[in-house]
Amino acid sequence: MKRSVIAAFAAATVAAAICGCGQSKPKLHLYNWSDYIDPEIVKEFEQQFNCKVVTDTFDLNESMFAKLKAGATGYDIVFPSSYMVELMRDQGFIQEIDVSRIPNLANIDHDYDSVIADPTFHYSVPYMMSNAGIAYNEELCKDFEPTWRVFGDKRYARSCTLLNDMRETLGAALKTLGYSLNTTNEAEVAQAADLVIEWSKNIAKFDNELYKNGIANGHFVLVHGYNGDLGQVIEENDNIVYALPKEGVSIACDEMVILSGAKELDLAYAFINFVHDPEIAARNMEYTCYLCPNRPAYEFLPEEVRKDESIFIPAEIREKSETIRDLGDFNAIYVKAWDRVKASQ
Ligand code: N2P
């Protein structure tokens, strides 16, 4: 049987199992980052599996987890970054994955095993790789240098933004100082907080959402943000350029996990398998401008995406980059440092 025939047969079987005659369509509930999936792909999934996909969005790992911890229920699949997968697993929020139900796991690109939470997929399946860098408007920043220190440059006072994200922004400062963004040295974290406080006096705001429109419409001239979100902006505005700071960046994998209380397990497995179909994964990459670590999908990508260094990061930057990890009890030191940043505003 050809792959598409097998997929259609599997879809029909799952759809028949989950939707008897006369019943309303089952609903798969996703809790995902914003602008992180091609809506056409969601529609196709709904049609093939005769269901409705309901999506809520978040813009910060910590606020997503705080909402779940506060008792939010009803989600089937959530998309945390790898370090948050570790915390969610340890605190019993996610269920073990039955890998036999996701045949497309065979497509995962194991070149990224050091970034993802678990290359054996016991609790999570990689969705997209992202990195956080700097986008700037080349009309307004003529001699831009790719360094995090640009956030202290007085020429850009009140017209730049930093992510409102403890680990990303303290991480950028740690890289600038030559430290690991996963350091467990309290003095290094304190120095990074001092540097962020210095930058904070120069920036317009800490922000995770509005920076996209802000740089697109010229309100901000440079912003700290995620490569794909900024890639989406670049498609609309030729003056925007994405740069990877020379000190190194954070590389994340955002993963799919099934919550312990998930109600639509059949659909959840079908969805995870669906987004790892190589053709679907390639279309999703083209739309979101992020990298789905799915090796056969790369062949379906147009050349300009395959050559895009904001998606496929060059080796010399990758070597200097790191993945944010859960630091256990030491997380509290980062929280304390970030509180100090916020209190200084
Ligand atoms: C999507 C942002 C995803 C990147 N808007 C966070 N790792």
Side-chain angles (χ1 to χ4, degrees):
M1 240 189 299
K2 277 188 160 150
R3 191 169 46 75
S4 56
V5 178
I6 298 171
F9 176 74
T13 312
V14 173
I18 55 190
C19 185
C21 291
Q23 287 171 357
S24 63
K25 288 184 182 179
K27 291 194 179 82
L28 177 71
H29 288 87
L30 308 181
Y31 192 22
N32 195 358
W33 297 83
S34 41
D35 306 319
Y36 218 20
I37 191 161
D38 178 350
E40 286 303 318
I41 289 174
V42 174
K43 261 193 224 155
E44 272 177 49
F45 180 80
E46 290 178 326
Q47 277 158 9
Q48 269 196 42
F49 290 89
N50 193 26
C51 67
K52 176 100 192 87
V53 174
V54 182
T55 306
D56 266 359
T57 59
F58 59 89
D59 64 12
L60 184 69
N61 278 296
E62 286 72 13
S63 51
M64 170 275 291
F65 195 27
K67 183 168 163 183
L68 296 182
K69 286 211 270 197
T73 52
Y75 300 120
D76 297 296
I77 303 177
V78 183
F79 297 67
S81 305
S82 319
Y83 76 97
M84 197 47 73
V85 172
E86 295 164 25
L87 264 176
M88 292 172 75
R89 180 200 54 211
D90 294 348
Q91 296 186 32
F93 279 80
I94 56 183
Q95 58 175 279
E96 199 161 347
I97 285 182
D98 177 354
V99 290
S100 71
R101 300 187 69 179
I102 314 173
N104 283 334
L105 285 180
N107 300 332
I108 301 286
D109 181 353
H110 285 278
D111 264 8
Y112 294 99
D113 277 5
S114 63
V115 179
I116 67 183
D118 173 13
T120 55
F121 318 121
H122 270 96
Y123 283 89
S124 53
V125 172
Y127 175 63
M128 292 282 182
M129 316 284 307
S130 65
N131 59 77
I134 303 173
Y136 64 98
N137 183 322
E138 63 182 352
E139 290 284 296
L140 305 168
C141 306
K142 292 281 183 211
D143 53 354
F144 175 86
E145 294 236 0
T147 165
W148 292 114
R149 293 206 182 268
V150 72
F151 289 101
D153 189 327
K154 295 286 176 275
R155 288 174 299 172
Y156 310 124
R158 304 278 161 253
S159 53
C160 50
T161 65
L162 280 165
L163 283 172
N164 192 10
D165 185 309
M166 170 181 86
R167 292 298 304 272
E168 290 289 2
T169 297
L170 286 174
L174 284 163
K175 297 302 284 178
T176 308
L177 295 166
Y179 303 139
S180 163
L181 54 69
N182 290 310
T183 184
T184 51
N185 176 321
E186 200 166 342
E188 292 178 0
V189 178
Q191 275 180 57
D194 291 343
L195 183 55
V196 174
I197 289 170
E198 187 188 315
W199 289 343
S200 73
K201 302 198 187 319
N202 198 45
I203 65 172
K205 60 193 323 210
F206 290 102
D207 173 76
N208 292 338
E209 280 291 333
L210 299 175
Y211 71 85
K212 294 169 65 173
N213 277 340
I215 187 129
N217 64 25
H219 192 66
F220 301 131
V221 302
L222 59 95
V223 296
H224 175 202
Y226 298 112
N227 64 303
D229 289 38
L230 292 162
Q232 293 163 33
V233 171
I234 290 166
E235 282 176 355
E236 308 293 322
N237 183 338
D238 286 350
N239 291 331
I240 312 300
V241 180
Y242 184 75
L244 296 164
K246 61 182 183 201
E247 299 93 345
V249 299
S250 72
I251 301 177
C253 182
D254 299 313
E255 316 228 9
M256 295 178 281
V257 299
I258 303 179
L259 287 191
S260 301
K263 297 226 167 52
E264 292 294 345
L265 271 186
D266 289 338
L267 278 177
Y269 278 108
F271 182 87
I272 295 172
N273 198 51
F274 188 78
V275 295
H276 273 295
D277 171 274
E279 284 179 59
I280 298 284
R283 276 172 45 208
N284 208 15
M285 277 194 255
E286 235 187 300
Y287 179 91
T288 60
C289 306
Y290 286 103
L291 194 175
C292 178
N294 180 307
R295 196 176 273 277
Y298 307 156
E299 285 167 32
F300 294 100
L301 292 173
E303 200 178 340
E304 83 258 20
V305 177
R306 277 207 308 264
K307 291 203 164 139
D308 187 328
E309 296 196 337
S310 73
I311 300 176
F312 293 92
I313 302 184
E316 68 274 13
I317 297 279
R318 215 174 138 183
E319 274 158 26
K320 285 188 269 182
S321 301
E322 290 179 274
T323 297
I324 295 172
R325 293 292 175 211
D326 174 42
L327 301 172
D329 290 346
F330 198 83
N331 286 331
I333 302 297
Y334 281 76
V335 172
K336 197 174 107 194
W338 190 242
D339 285 349
R340 187 158 67 80
V341 171
K342 288 309 181 84
S344 75
Q345 301 306 294

